[in-house]
Amino acid sequence: MGSESYWLDTAPAFTGAQVGGLPDQVDVAIVGGGFTGLAAARALALKGARVAVLEAGRVNGQASGRNGGQCNTGVAQDYAALSASLGADKARAYYLAYESAVQSVVSLVEQEGIACDLTRHGKLKLAAKPMHYEGLARTCELIRKEVDAEVQLLSAQQVRAEVNSDQFHGGLLQRNGVQMHVGRFGVGLAEAAARHGALIFQGVEVKDWKTRGSGYQVNTNKGVLHASQILLATGACQQGGLGWYRRRIVPVGSFVVATEVLPQALIDSLLPARRSYVTSRMIGNYFRLTPDNRLLFGGRARFAMSDSVSDAKSGKVLQATMVQMFPQLADVKIDYCWGGLVDMTSDRLPRAGQHGGIYHSMGYSGHGVQMSVHMGQVMADVMAGKVEANPWRELDWPAIPGHFGKPWFLPFVGAYYRLQDYLH
């Protein structure tokens, strides 16, 4: 069982990284070389800005290359709950932001000709209990009424024709969703940004920054750089001077396994529609097929941070859950097992804007594949003066009480979620 991300292991090498020293002056310094930073760098370079992307490791090496590959419409919260808490207008606007984010990914792939196995199959949310199906039915009715007439409620029999498992009681189908090889997409995005003039540095850790004149001095392990603007695209990063942001983001481990290549006959009987799937439990699972016919199966598994030991333990939990869901896979080998960090906010909505003059976009809460790409491009507009382009601009961002960066409370949260799954 390999410990590398399947996406990163099967992606081509990035050839556009800078090999020399840092420039003395740029218009924009972007901290973080994931989808947000790279999409912003490309968009800013196309506007004529001189941009430097500063990535502590390798581009796309963290959440952008270690996720489950889900790229779909749908807010992280239940839409009905969101509408009840924020009102129909805001819930609709946020839902449409995610819908636009999917199209942002598709448009970028088409514009840059990125070879990333892009297909459109939609997402099916699976009801793990009869009461969950009743909740999905109410949500479906509300979404159809308020924002998206294309969603469809599937019966247990219809779901069984799509997912060859006896564990589900129906599902909610959202058609505006795509699949792609996120490793290939990430490298293609990085190459596009470099091709348009962005300077992309790997192995450059930003230690801190301070104001200097009308801009900023950015201090790194490879020297000093001066920038007129800074964009933080750091997600759940645990390095550097990000204390203000760490108090507002909970880094939650998310874990994934990928099987060996499966026979076509097994795939046709298991998941003939090849959609992206997610279960309705609080500690749920997500799964999909990869372009080379592996089953990728992920979820929280354990409420813990990601490291080599935690990833391996979580991989065993995921494999057992996968076999329970699909007994047909009992003898199938697991080729990949990996983990990563999800940048969760307390309300599971992204945050983007400015703090202390520094721009940021993060907190995608498990829906970052599409939203990070979208918000990178949005932030390029915001930094050019189009503040109204930011769909999250009105959200405040208070610190999470008792949280100072290290999520000491994760085991308690996990216990609570397990209890809720048992009771509901």
Side-chain angles (χ1 to χ4, degrees):
M1 185 187 298
S3 60
E4 177 63 288
S5 158
Y6 162 78
W7 305 121
L8 296 176
D9 189 51
T10 56
F14 171 48
T15 63
Q18 297 292 304
V19 294
L22 298 176
D24 178 66
Q25 180 74 43
V26 295
D27 297 316
V28 183
I30 298 175
V31 185
F35 291 170
T36 302
L38 294 171
R42 171 186 172 273
L44 287 162
L46 284 169
K47 293 177 183 291
R50 182 168 168 79
V51 184
V53 176
L54 309 175
E55 167 54 49
R58 60 182 283 192
V59 294
N60 303 303
Q62 296 304 313
S64 294
R66 308 186 69 81
N67 55 71
Q70 301 265 351
C71 183
N72 309 297
T73 292
V75 292
Q77 295 185 30
D78 173 71
Y79 182 82
L82 191 67
S83 184
S85 63
L86 298 180
D89 289 343
K90 281 191 176 180
R92 183 185 304 111
Y94 294 161
Y95 187 99
L96 292 175
Y98 278 94
E99 190 171 77
S100 298
V102 175
Q103 186 54 47
S104 287
V105 172
V106 174
S107 297
L108 201 155
V109 169
E110 292 174 346
Q111 290 165 12
E112 298 294 349
I114 299 175
C116 60
D117 303 292
L118 185 75
T119 56
R120 189 184 291 274
H121 294 296
K123 178 186 80 172
L124 182 57
K125 186 168 186 177
L126 300 162
K129 293 183 177 182
M131 69 178 69
H132 294 183
Y133 179 73
E134 295 169 7
L136 290 180
R138 292 191 294 270
T139 295
C140 180
E141 182 179 359
L142 189 63
I143 291 176
R144 288 177 63 87
K145 177 183 176 182
E146 292 190 356
V147 66
D148 184 357
E150 296 300 312
V151 298
Q152 180 182 354
L153 190 69
L154 302 187
S155 67
Q157 184 177 2
Q158 288 172 306
V159 165
R160 186 60 186 265
E162 289 211 11
V163 181
N164 193 359
S165 172
D166 61 6
Q167 291 195 2
F168 303 112
H169 303 269
L172 177 64
L173 175 61
Q174 293 170 290
R175 288 183 169 81
N176 183 40
V178 301
Q179 293 181 11
M180 60 182 177
H181 188 300
V182 293
R184 294 172 189 159
F185 170 77
V187 172
L189 176 57
E191 299 285 11
R195 188 166 58 248
H196 293 300
L199 307 175
I200 302 176
F201 295 87
Q202 300 184 118
V204 176
E205 180 182 343
V206 173
K207 298 179 180 296
D208 56 33
W209 55 85
K210 60 183 179 181
T211 57
R212 178 172 175 176
S214 60
Y216 302 91
Q217 176 179 306
V218 183
N219 300 309
T220 82
N221 63 330
K222 297 292 179 68
V224 173
L225 174 147
H226 300 94
S228 300
Q229 295 177 310
I230 297 174
L231 171 63
L232 299 181
T234 49
C237 178
Q238 300 297 289
Q239 300 169 271
L242 301 170
W244 189 87
Y245 304 91
R246 289 198 191 105
R247 289 204 62 197
R248 288 155 174 81
I249 284 179
V250 178
V252 177
S254 187
F255 307 94
V256 194
V257 295
T259 68
E260 63 185 327
V261 175
L262 302 178
Q264 188 63 48
L266 179 56
I267 286 172
D268 291 342
S269 68
L270 202 68
L271 300 170
R274 300 186 72 110
R275 304 189 197 279
S276 296
Y277 304 92
V278 61
T279 66
S280 61
R281 295 184 185 276
M282 295 191 75
I283 305 179
N285 296 101
Y286 51 82
F287 51 96
R288 53 160 289 194
L289 293 164
T290 65
D292 61 349
N293 288 343
R294 303 172 187 271
L295 180 65
L296 184 150
F297 193 92
R300 299 293 174 261
R302 299 167 60 252
F303 272 71
M305 299 284 277
S306 173
D307 57 41
S308 58
V309 174
S310 186
D311 292 356
K313 290 180 179 178
S314 299
K316 293 185 182 301
V317 173
L318 288 171
Q319 185 177 18
T321 305
M322 180 187 74
V323 171
Q324 184 180 25
M325 190 179 298
F326 299 111
Q328 310 93 310
L329 302 180
D331 297 324
V332 166
K333 179 185 174 185
I334 300 296
D335 277 354
Y336 293 91
C337 172
W338 72 94
L341 294 179
V342 177
D343 54 341
M344 301 286 287
T345 59
S346 59
D347 60 6
R348 301 185 69 189
L349 292 173
R351 292 301 190 275
Q354 275 184 288
H355 170 69
I358 305 299
Y359 291 92
H360 63 265
S361 184
M362 58 186 78
Y364 305 124
S365 302
H367 286 234
V369 171
Q370 68 277 23
M371 190 51 70
S372 58
V373 176
H374 182 62
M375 286 307 301
Q377 297 176 97
V378 165
M379 291 309 294
D381 288 335
V382 171
M383 296 170 79
K386 298 180 180 179
V387 178
E388 69 280 359
N390 177 11
W392 317 109
R393 63 188 179 277
E394 296 180 1
L395 292 174
D396 63 354
W397 201 8
I400 298 170
H403 176 47
F404 300 95
K406 298 295 183 182
W408 56 269
F409 44 79
L410 281 185
F412 302 100
V413 173
Y416 172 77
Y417 281 179
R418 289 186 185 92
L419 177 62
Q420 293 303 304
D421 276 335
Y422 175 77
L423 296 175
H424 305 288

